[in-house]
Amino acid sequence: MRAFKLLSTAGDLTIDLTQSRTIVVGRAVTSDLPIYDPTVSRRHAEVSLVDGGVRVQDLGSSNGTFVNGTKIGETVVSDGDVVTFGKVAFKVQEVTPPATRPPPDGAFQRAPAPEATIVRQVSVKQQSSDLDEKVAARPSGAGHLKLDAESVDDRQAEKLSLLLDISKELSKQQEVDRLLEKVVDITFKVMNVDRVSILMLEGQGDTQELVPRVSHNRLGDGGGARVPQSIARRAVDERLAILTDNAAADERFKGKSIMMQSVRSAMCTPLMGSEGKVLGIIYVDNMTATNSFGDEDLEFLIAFSGIAAVAIENGRLTERIQREAVVRSNFERYFAPDLAEQIAAEVEEVQLGGTKRPVVVFFSDIRGFTSMSENMSPDGIATLLTEYFTEMVEIVFEHGGTLDKFMGDAIMALWGAPIKHDDDADRAMRAAIQQQEMLAQLNEKWTENGRPTVEIGIGINFGEVFAGNIGSERRLEYTVIGDAVNTASRLCSKAEPGEILISEPFYKALKEPPEVEALEPLELKGKAKVVPVYRLKR
């Protein structure tokens, strides 16, 4: 029989297949090949060696099993095929025996390797990125660009080289505020101007306003903060690059700010982002000289603003990704990966406070864990709890729940907050049943390894709670508070090993209720009336 192996395309996992064994691929720690990826189901697929290839059978996974991009139920694959479990891909490789050593009499000869020929070799040296070395001490030609060139061709070459260096310089800075400062500094370096200002559009729709972000005056008197609104608004509203060589006499700009700010020659160009969106403007002027800027200056400022706009958009994207990463790393501890990603994308909405809402509250607790742990080493306790919590939390996430917190050996989970589903009660019920089933598998595994087994009790309630982010600005914790939480906790404490106790409100919220039996109503601490309770039949 031919031998095969599966090699992950990421290169970090290899499955060596043997004739006598069927391998279960899944996210559960009990799988033969555990793959800890959210797109892989707990029992995702089976893989086994057969005549002529590898049999792959999907086990009803949520995200499917694919061969060469086609979803399959069961098929046989061979050398070169790509098998994908969820989004984790493996390539099928046939394992061949090592090549036979050639006979000593030279029955075959290895062909000599062709001689290598160096076609061209070029010394690569680090280029200077100091713009001070790229610009002349003063402008040359008719405009205000600091170029050390006179002829048209030489100036064109110098401008292209200067723009390339500017692009490299801006790409080094990804924090938007510092990036805007860098744009202003570069403008002063490459152009002979008195004032430079950057204004950014802030707000939404018709409420957008131009807000000064960075403004500097070469004379250092703070006058750079004042930009004539008649020029700025025209540049934004009409998406125009504007050059005025005598602003006070220009019929287009009759605002009082022109006269008050002693504006003579000025240029203003919009910062055009992707899809034609205006991000803001760059404004430069000279306060004394009229007829000072020329077409070359305006063309250069337009090109420069395009480079700056790209850098600003990249900086904003980087900052957003960093914010989302911080939020995601925090919330992935409590929410399923897809839900954590959704919350991270709405990072601005993750704030202190919350609302009242109906929620399913779920508690599970290991029975007799305190006495059992007295006979275990600290490492043994940590290992057992890690395996137990990993499986139980994965089940919560798999059914769309939210991990609220761990309390010693207990788990508190939620359905209906922060994201609500029409079948939240049924999701919680299925999760509780699956937790008990998974615990039986874990106990079987632990028994085989000579380790202690555990039993859990589960309590579930449904009711109105306060749900939201509680804490400080530095640390937020999503949780729920209310009487419904206390009732769920007390139901859990009353549950015997292996039992699932549910409240009457929860039972009524189920769309597909399982078979249950009514118990004697319980008197729970803090409740004036007895509480109707149901036990799930097993």
Side-chain angles (χ1 to χ4, degrees):
M1 180 179 288
R2 297 159 62 188
F4 293 88
K5 67 178 180 180
L6 301 185
L7 177 65
S8 72
T9 54
D12 56 346
L13 289 173
T14 301
I15 308 175
D16 292 313
L17 302 175
T18 58
Q19 183 176 355
S20 58
R21 187 181 181 194
T22 297
I23 292 177
V24 176
V25 179
R27 200 173 67 246
V29 295
T30 53
S31 301
D32 300 310
L33 178 70
I35 303 176
Y36 301 113
D37 185 276
T39 64
V40 177
S41 296
R42 301 175 56 73
R43 283 176 53 85
H44 196 102
E46 287 183 348
V47 179
S48 59
L49 199 61
V50 297
D51 288 335
V54 178
R55 182 185 69 88
V56 180
Q57 180 180 1
D58 186 82
L59 298 178
S61 63
S62 299
N63 295 298
T65 302
F66 302 82
V67 173
N68 300 328
T70 302
K71 191 172 185 180
I72 59 97
E74 179 179 358
T75 191
V76 175
V77 298
S78 191
D79 185 53
D81 288 331
V82 175
V83 181
T84 305
F85 308 105
K87 291 185 179 179
V88 182
F90 289 79
K91 186 173 183 179
V92 181
Q93 291 187 355
E94 184 170 2
V95 180
T96 56
T100 306
R101 179 175 297 185
D105 60 358
F108 65 87
Q109 299 285 335
R110 182 184 298 274
E115 294 184 4
T117 302
I118 297 176
V119 178
R120 186 182 184 194
Q121 56 185 21
V122 179
S123 177
V124 179
K125 299 180 180 179
Q126 183 176 3
Q127 297 181 353
S128 171
S129 59
D130 189 353
L131 287 172
D132 291 330
E133 299 178 10
K134 303 291 184 179
V135 297
R138 58 183 177 79
S140 61
H144 282 254
L145 281 175
K146 297 178 181 180
L147 299 178
D148 190 13
E150 296 293 342
S151 71
V152 174
D153 290 342
D154 288 345
R155 292 182 70 80
Q156 186 68 12
E158 286 293 321
K159 282 187 287 185
L160 291 174
S161 176
L162 188 58
L163 288 169
L164 178 60
D165 290 326
I166 289 172
S167 178
K168 292 178 181 178
E169 192 73 14
L170 293 181
S171 67
K172 298 176 184 177
Q173 183 56 256
Q174 295 183 326
E175 186 178 332
V176 174
D177 288 341
R178 293 183 180 180
L179 177 63
L180 298 181
E181 290 278 358
K182 192 75 173 178
V183 171
V184 171
D185 291 342
I186 290 175
T187 307
F188 276 122
K189 283 183 179 181
V190 302
M191 301 189 77
N192 186 38
V193 296
D194 293 329
R195 301 190 292 191
V196 181
S197 296
I198 296 179
L199 284 72
M200 302 300 292
L201 274 177
E202 297 184 4
Q204 299 293 330
D206 297 335
T207 63
Q208 283 189 321
E209 294 183 359
L210 276 171
V211 178
R213 293 291 296 274
V214 185
S215 297
H216 291 304
N217 186 333
R218 189 185 296 278
L219 303 178
D221 61 2
R226 300 183 295 272
V227 174
Q229 287 297 303
S230 55
I231 294 177
R233 290 308 318 181
R234 187 180 179 95
V236 170
D237 294 342
E238 301 182 30
R239 288 169 166 72
L240 294 175
I242 296 171
L243 184 156
T244 177
D245 55 10
N246 190 352
D250 196 323
E251 292 293 329
R252 297 172 298 173
F253 313 115
K254 289 299 184 180
K256 291 182 179 180
S257 60
I258 297 289
M259 302 299 296
M260 293 174 62
Q261 297 169 36
S262 303
V263 174
R264 292 298 184 92
S265 297
M267 293 190 298
C268 183
T269 182
L271 292 161
M272 299 298 297
S274 59
E275 300 179 356
K277 180 181 179 182
V278 179
L279 307 179
I281 63 166
I282 297 180
Y283 169 89
V284 300
D285 69 17
N286 279 324
M287 294 179 287
T288 55
T290 59
N291 302 304
S292 60
F293 294 125
D295 290 342
E296 181 185 59
D297 299 319
L298 183 62
E299 290 172 0
F300 185 86
L301 188 65
I302 293 171
F304 178 33
S305 69
I307 294 172
V310 171
I312 291 168
E313 282 199 318
N314 289 340
R316 286 178 170 177
L317 177 61
T318 299
E319 289 182 350
R320 181 171 65 83
I321 291 172
Q322 289 172 344
R323 287 196 304 269
E324 291 180 5
V326 171
V327 174
R328 188 180 296 111
S329 66
N330 186 34
F331 281 90
E332 275 184 349
R333 293 179 295 168
Y334 308 106
F335 305 116
D338 56 342
L339 181 55
E341 185 172 350
Q342 179 179 344
I343 295 173
E346 300 169 0
V347 63
E348 300 300 333
E349 298 179 14
V350 181
Q351 301 171 351
L352 285 170
T355 58
K356 284 189 175 181
R357 61 195 304 170
V359 167
V360 174
V361 185
F362 170 107
F363 279 89
S364 66
D365 187 26
I366 298 178
R367 295 293 175 255
F369 183 75
T370 301
S371 58
M372 181 181 69
S373 62
E374 291 176 354
N375 300 317
M376 298 175 63
S377 67
D379 287 344
I381 295 172
T383 300
L384 184 146
L385 285 179
T386 298
E387 291 186 16
Y388 167 75
F389 282 141
T390 297
E391 292 299 322
M392 298 301 110
V393 171
E394 282 296 323
I395 291 172
V396 171
F397 287 169
E398 193 172 295
H399 291 277
T402 297
L403 173 65
D404 186 284
K405 61 176 68 73
F406 296 121
M407 296 169 289
D409 59 315
I411 296 173
M412 176 179 171
L414 313 170
W415 276 262
I419 303 298
K420 179 182 178 182
H421 304 94
D422 292 337
D423 60 342
D424 279 320
D426 295 272
R427 290 168 180 250
M429 190 75 263
R430 289 193 293 268
I433 295 171
Q434 190 173 343
Q435 281 195 359
Q436 293 286 14
E437 292 173 347
M438 174 51 62
L439 186 60
Q441 296 181 34
L442 286 174
N443 281 332
E444 184 178 344
K445 172 187 171 184
W446 292 335
T447 299
E448 291 176 356
N449 295 332
R451 296 162 60 187
T453 60
V454 300
E455 297 289 344
I456 62 173
I458 296 175
I460 315 176
N461 187 31
F462 175 77
E464 189 175 75
V465 298
F466 174 86
N469 295 294
I470 308 300
S472 68
E473 295 290 349
R474 293 178 62 85
R475 177 175 174 80
L476 295 177
E477 179 177 307
Y478 192 91
T479 190
V480 295
I481 300 172
D483 182 65
V485 179
N486 301 331
T487 299
S489 176
R490 287 160 189 161
L491 286 174
C492 178
S493 66
K494 293 289 184 179
E496 296 293 330
E499 282 189 344
I500 301 173
L501 298 186
I502 63 177
S503 68
E504 188 172 54
F506 176 76
Y507 181 74
K508 290 180 178 180
L510 290 166
K511 296 180 182 297
E512 299 178 2
E515 189 176 358
V516 298
E517 56 182 325
L519 302 180
E520 287 292 328
L522 294 178
E523 292 185 3
L524 299 180
K525 184 179 178 182
K527 305 288 286 186
K529 298 181 179 180
V530 292
V531 177
V533 178
Y534 300 92
R535 177 171 58 199
L536 185 72
K537 284 188 175 181
R538 299 295 301 274

